[in-house]
Amino acid sequence: MRPNYLFGMRQAARQAKALQIPEIAAIEFGVAGGMGLLEMEQVAESLQAETGVRFRLYGFDLETGLPPSDDYRDLPYLWRAGFFKMDRAKLERQLKRATLIIGNVGETVLAFIERYSPPVIGFVSFDLDLYTSTKPALNLFNSAASHFLPRTFCYFDDIVGDLDEVHCEWVGELLAIREFNDAHAARKIAKINGLSWKFGAPTQWHDQIFVLHLFDHPAYKQYINERTDWQLPLPE
Ligand SMILES: C[S@@+](CC[C@H](N)C(=O)[O-])C[C@H]1O[C@@H](n2cnc3c(N)ncnc32)[C@H](O)[C@@H]1O
């Protein structure tokens, strides 16, 4: 199982459980052949057994692969129109529970909540490659706070990559994140400070996990620490 999906979805399920939310949504923006969405299904099965929290899964994609772009912010030095096409019939035969939402994410995301009535969103993977696709996908995070966990876990795929991918805050997914943060005072997408230290050794996905903090969420301040008390007395 992909450790990035396992981590983000497990942390979301643990938070949901602490907040007594029985079911949450996990979303993959950018499905391509479907390997990620099929992994998400496996992770959801395993976490449901582990935590008791149920998952509903959604995958957004154009079906026809990457759209054309000549915008430098889309890194056309890396991506080509038509990369990562979906074999929709093949994927639909293998999917057990995820819902595919086919179309341009700029349109499908706007109707998503009203059309599908998802449970509280707990984990979102962004793998649309392009700035001009990621920017409208982030409009999901303009929805009412009640549609999200107070701290919604996110994974951004296209911010590390191979040696030729030289990502920075002025292009691609990192630019979309920065612009979202600049435009929202009460919602911020931020890395988990020191995530690698919690695992002992750093690995790539630690730099790709972010959390959408909804400071305007009514439950943002609700205590969820498993400790009922914590004291640090001096030795006798
Ligand atoms: C790298 S692939 C996703 C890979 C997949 N997440 C995985 O792990 O196997 C990127 C996908 O983003 C989709 N995509 C890019 N821009 C899009 C847009 N504006 N609307 C919908 N899908 C888009 C493409 O169709 C492509 O399949």
Side-chain angles (χ1 to χ4, degrees):
M1 280 186 274
R2 290 186 187 188
N4 48 341
Y5 282 11
L6 187 57
F7 173 78
M9 289 170 69
R10 177 182 277 138
Q11 291 307 99
R14 291 182 65 236
Q15 189 185 150
K17 193 169 180 178
L19 295 171
Q20 298 180 322
I21 297 170
E23 186 179 37
I24 58 175
I27 294 172
E28 187 181 62
F29 282 117
V31 175
M35 278 187 298
L37 199 56
L38 288 165
E39 286 260 353
M40 216 176 230
E41 288 193 333
Q42 279 184 28
V43 172
E45 284 288 319
S46 146
L47 290 177
Q48 252 170 240
E50 180 184 317
T51 65
V53 174
R54 298 189 304 279
F55 278 88
R56 254 193 267 167
L57 309 176
Y58 304 89
F60 288 75
D61 203 277
L62 263 177
E63 193 183 346
T64 45
L66 293 183
S69 173
D70 191 33
D71 187 323
Y72 76 92
R73 296 170 299 179
D74 285 337
L75 310 168
Y77 74 91
L78 292 173
W79 314 122
R80 277 206 165 141
F83 274 12
F84 316 124
K85 291 185 192 79
M86 176 188 290
D87 181 338
R88 186 173 173 182
K90 186 173 183 184
L91 177 56
E92 280 178 340
R93 277 199 301 279
Q94 291 191 39
L95 285 175
K96 292 197 186 86
R97 47 188 295 171
T99 303
L100 272 183
I101 301 175
I102 300 294
N104 194 315
V105 78
E107 287 145 34
T108 52
V109 83
L110 295 178
F112 171 59
I113 289 184
E114 201 181 321
R115 183 142 182 225
Y116 293 90
S117 303
V120 167
I121 296 164
F123 176 73
V124 186
S125 167
F126 292 87
D127 191 5
L128 295 160
D129 300 352
L130 311 182
Y131 162 80
T132 54
S133 298
T134 308
K135 172 113 179 150
L138 284 171
N139 283 332
L140 176 67
F141 293 166
N142 294 333
S143 310
S146 57
H147 293 298
F148 301 93
L149 289 180
R151 289 161 300 281
T152 297
F153 285 78
C154 301
Y155 167 77
F156 287 88
D157 189 70
D158 304 294
I159 60 175
V160 183
D162 64 28
L163 287 177
D164 292 329
E165 298 185 33
V166 285
H167 297 288
C168 71
E169 267 191 280
W170 289 270
V171 295
E173 290 180 350
L174 288 172
L175 175 61
I177 293 170
R178 183 158 66 90
E179 289 180 346
F180 178 90
N181 286 336
D182 287 347
H184 296 78
R187 296 185 184 186
K188 298 290 179 191
I189 301 167
K191 278 194 184 175
I192 300 173
N193 197 46
L195 181 59
S196 291
W197 291 101
K198 301 175 203 277
F199 290 91
T203 186
Q204 178 174 315
W205 65 266
H206 295 163
D207 276 340
Q208 295 166 293
I209 292 284
F210 288 65
V211 173
L212 167 69
H213 294 263
L214 295 103
F215 304 125
D216 58 344
H217 195 295
Y220 192 86
K221 293 181 284 181
Q222 191 172 322
Y223 186 80
I224 61 161
N225 197 328
E226 280 167 0
R227 296 177 177 97
T228 50
D229 190 21
W230 195 354
Q231 308 297 333
L232 299 169
L234 284 174
E236 294 299 326

